[in-house]
């Protein structure tokens, strides 16, 4: 494989993510002996971490488009070393102050690197592999989380500190090696496809990025996509309950793996790209309806709570309620978490896939992806803070109604976007998002455009200079 080929670069990014994010997801709860749950830990354990996540997607846009992939990944892997060191410090000195700061620093590094990863996954693969590549990269996190949660639940109360100390040391050693892999990630303007075509990555500056981001927020496609980005994370956070149960959490994680099927559905050429998108969107709506129905059934079920003592603290009452829900509706909760996992994975992946159909400009992809990241984080944080402390008896709230209604509307809006996507991105070196209003019939011009770029490439001139 050529060093500057998309496949080689995807492999380097995958190895970096596996050894950085994957290892952290795998070992974090185990090393800290945190009980895994199905809530966002950044919102649950430390509010500044959630707030940082809300801004990191927008920051990632400027970092990707102005600094480049290599330095983003190198910085993230260095923050990962610091985070691994903070766990080591806990075992050595018993203090967690350093760990709290390291966690914030890691989040600052993680989210821009995730924006960079998803921009690469949208830009580098050919169109017939785009959805499956998205699924594969998302699965790295999902699978590492699933395995890590399983290990943690089995080890709670059984593992000894010296054993965890050994894993922390191994994690630190591996983390120190990863930045050297990240250094091998090439700048986007050097990537050349097998047919000789460079990736579209025009030159930009800070002023241009601010202007283009402002224009993007008033564009038709972004206005249609914004409710989709924000609404489901808010609803999930509002409707969700902390369920520290190994079987239930495993069902949630397994449900997320459904994106492997989603990737096949979107990529395999059994119909036009527009039809594949419409069918997948319809399937996502069906699973959402099932998830919402089962969640509502569990929430409004009349539980036996006669054991509550009025002298208990609110935290103890909430803990009793959660255990009553788990005990009395365990089978139904398995269905709830399984379908919630399916919808959570599909919503995230389908959103990225749709954005990938709107542009083949790497800079525009970064603006879409970074905005999507931040809006999901904002929706989740708002939902969690609004619903914090709301028990099983208070499902029907204004916030829940609002989030449910907005999610339903957002699915309708993204359906309209999917109906307008072209069959291929190759018809233009620009993008729909940039304002082109071209029909599928114009795709016949792609051969002429590609031939032009190939000719430019052989004259050693970057296509952005044409």
């Amino acid at each position: 494989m050529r060093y500057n080929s998309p496949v080689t670069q995807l492999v380097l990014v995958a190895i970096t993510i596996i050894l950085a994010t994957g290892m952290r997801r795998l070992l974090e709860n185990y090393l800290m002996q945190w009980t895994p749950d199905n809530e966002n830990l950044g919102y649950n354990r430390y509010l500044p971490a959630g707030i940082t996540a809300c801004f990191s997607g927008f920051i990632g846009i400027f970092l990707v488009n102005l600094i480049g992939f290599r330095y983003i990944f190198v910085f993230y892997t260095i923050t990962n070393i610091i985070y691994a060191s903070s766990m080591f410090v806990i075992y050595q000195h018993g203090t967690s102050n350093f760990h709290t700061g390291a966690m914030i620093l890691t989040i600052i590094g993680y989210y821009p690197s995730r924006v960079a990863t998803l921009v690469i996954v949208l830009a580098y693969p050919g169109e017939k592999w785009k959805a499956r590549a998205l699924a594969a990269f998302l699965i790295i996190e999902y699978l590492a989380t699933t395995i890590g949660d399983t290990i943690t639940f089995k080890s709670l109360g059984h593992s000894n500190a010296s054993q965890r100390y050994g894993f922390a040391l191994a994690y630190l050693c591996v983390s120190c090696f990863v930045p050297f892999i990240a250094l091998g990630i090439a700048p986007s303007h050097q990537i050349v496809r097998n047919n000789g075509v460079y990736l579209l990555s025009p030159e930009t500056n800070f002023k241009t990025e601010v202007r283009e981001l402002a224009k993007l927020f008033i564009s038709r496609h972004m206005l249609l996509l914004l409710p989709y980005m924000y609404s489901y994370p808010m609803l999930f956070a509002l409707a969700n309950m902390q369920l520290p149960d190994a079987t239930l959490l495993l069902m949630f994680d397994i449900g997320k793996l459904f994106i492997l099927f989603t990737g096949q559905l979107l990529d395999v050429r059994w119909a036009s790209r527009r039809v594949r998108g419409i069918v997948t969107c319809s399937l996502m709506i069906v699973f959402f309806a099932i998830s919402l129905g089962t969640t509502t059934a569990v929430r409004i079920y009349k539980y036996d709570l006669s054991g509550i003592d009025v002298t208990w603290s609110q935290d103890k009452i909430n803990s009793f309620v959660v255990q009553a829900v788990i005990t009395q509706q365990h089978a139904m909760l398995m269905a709830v978490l399984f379908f919630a996992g399916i919808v959570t994975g599909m919503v995230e992946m389908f959103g990225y896939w749709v954005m990938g159909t709107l542009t083949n400009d790497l800079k525009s992809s970064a603006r879409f992806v970074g905005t999507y990241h931040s809006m999901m984080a904002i929706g989740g944080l708002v939902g969690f803070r609004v619903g914090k402390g709301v028990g099983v008896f208070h499902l029907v709230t204004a916030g829940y109604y609002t989030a449910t209604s907005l999610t339903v509307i957002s699915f309708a809006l993204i359906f309209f976007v999917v109906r307008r996507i072209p069959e291929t991105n190759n018809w233009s070196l620009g993008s729909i998002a940039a304002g082109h209003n071209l029909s599928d019939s114009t795709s016949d011009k792609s051969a002429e455009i590609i031939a032009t770029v190939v000719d430019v490439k052989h004259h050693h001139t970057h296509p952005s200079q044409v």
Side-chain angles (χ1 to χ4, degrees), residues 197-377:
V197 178
Y198 281 93
L199 292 176
L200 180 61
S201 182
E203 293 294 326
T204 186
N205 54 49
F206 183 81
K207 184 178 179 180
T208 300
E209 283 304 309
V210 172
R211 183 176 63 250
E212 291 300 321
L213 190 58
K215 287 169 57 179
L216 183 63
F217 266 91
I218 60 174
S219 68
R220 177 180 56 193
H221 291 92
M222 180 57 81
L223 291 175
L224 291 172
L225 287 172
L226 278 175
Y228 180 88
M229 298 176 180
Y230 174 86
S231 58
Y232 180 75
M234 179 182 177
L235 175 61
F236 180 81
L238 275 168
N240 199 23
M241 287 184 64
Q242 184 177 354
L243 299 170
D245 180 271
T247 305
L248 296 177
L249 191 60
L250 187 61
M251 293 303 295
F252 179 72
D253 291 339
I254 290 174
K256 283 186 171 184
L257 303 183
F258 188 79
I259 61 171
L260 290 172
F261 172 76
T262 307
Q264 294 290 331
L265 189 64
L266 288 169
D267 271 349
V268 177
R269 302 295 180 92
W270 55 272
S272 68
R273 184 163 73 167
R274 182 179 299 147
V275 171
R276 298 196 305 269
I278 290 173
V279 170
T280 304
C281 185
S282 302
L283 186 63
M284 180 176 66
I285 292 172
V286 170
F287 280 124
F288 169 73
I290 296 172
S291 176
L292 189 64
T294 54
T295 301
T296 303
V298 168
R299 284 278 184 163
I300 65 177
Y301 181 81
K302 302 298 183 181
Y303 295 95
D304 179 11
L305 302 175
S306 57
I308 293 179
D309 190 328
V310 294
T311 62
W312 288 353
S313 66
Q314 187 60 49
D315 287 343
K316 189 172 182 179
I317 292 175
N318 289 341
S319 178
F320 182 90
V321 170
V322 169
Q323 288 304 317
V325 173
I326 293 175
T327 303
Q328 299 173 35
Q329 284 285 313
H330 196 271
M332 180 62 81
L333 280 172
M334 290 178 66
V336 169
L337 270 297
F338 177 70
F339 285 109
I342 290 177
V343 177
T344 300
M346 285 190 74
V347 166
E348 181 176 22
M349 179 182 168
F350 188 68
Y352 289 126
W353 180 82
V354 170
M355 292 172 201
T357 67
L358 297 179
T359 179
N360 59 356
D361 177 352
L362 190 143
K363 308 295 187 184
S364 295
S365 291
R367 296 174 197 125
F368 271 112
V369 171
T371 301
Y372 190 20
H373 257 279
S374 282
M375 294 306 297
M376 284 194 297

